[in-house]
């Protein structure tokens, strides 16, 4: 993993990160610019990190504070281009997010995901990197699709 750099996301990362988002199907890639803009201008507290390999962004993490809480943040997005899966880049992005938040005096990071079979590997990933399943809300996303909430104390 020494071939990667983890750093705050920059405006110039947008095109490559749109390709990452499109390849993963995380959300429609055309939404990325609008999501990222308030963080780049400082309008909204958020932490965006890019994973860069050979000079090109291949992954991202995005966390923001939970409203009306004291030091609780939500990891809203984590994506690594499928060609880069299995190299520890996702775990490194999460660790870097945790490190940034811990250094800023934050205390808790949560992750929300789906309870469907399609997301079983995502749930295993968070368990493997030290997150605990804290809650499950039946039928939250859609009928038969639970919201599963993971947490980690920073």
């Amino acid at each position: 993993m020494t071939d990667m750099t983890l750093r705050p996301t920059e405006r110039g990362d947008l095109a490559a990160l749109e390709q990452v988002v499109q390849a993963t199907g995380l959300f429609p890639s055309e939404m990325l610019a609008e999501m990222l803009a308030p963080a780049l201008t400082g309008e909204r507290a958020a932490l965006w990190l890019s994973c860069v390999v050979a000079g090109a962004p291949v992954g991202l993490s995005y966390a923001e504070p939970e409203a009306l809480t004291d030091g609780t943040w939500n990891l809203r997005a984590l994506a690594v281009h499928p060609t880069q899966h299995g190299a520890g880049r996702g775990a490194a992005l999460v660790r870097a997010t945790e490190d940034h938040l811990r250094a800023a005096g934050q205390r808790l990071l949560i992750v929300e995901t789906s309870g469907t079979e399609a997301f079983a590997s995502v749930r295993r990933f968070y368990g493997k990197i030290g997150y605990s399943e804290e809650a499950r809300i039946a039928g939250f996303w859609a009928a038969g699709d639970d919201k599963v909430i993971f947490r980690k104390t920073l």
Side-chain angles (χ1 to χ4, degrees), residues 60-133:
L60 67 89
S61 65
Y62 160 47
E64 66 181 4
E66 278 291 316
L68 306 175
T69 68
D70 177 20
T72 299
W73 282 61
N74 191 323
L75 183 62
R76 298 278 185 202
L78 176 67
V80 174
H81 197 283
T83 62
Q84 300 291 316
H85 284 182
R89 303 191 198 295
L93 276 162
V94 175
R95 279 192 307 274
T97 299
E98 294 167 357
D99 291 346
H100 274 81
L101 295 176
R102 193 176 294 110
Q106 305 308 307
R107 60 180 191 82
L108 186 67
L109 185 58
I110 65 168
V111 180
E112 301 169 340
T113 191
S114 169
T116 63
E117 184 58 32
F119 285 81
S121 65
V122 172
R123 295 189 304 274
R124 282 191 303 274
F125 167 79
Y126 285 109
K128 185 177 176 182
I129 62 170
Y131 283 74
S132 308
E133 183 176 323

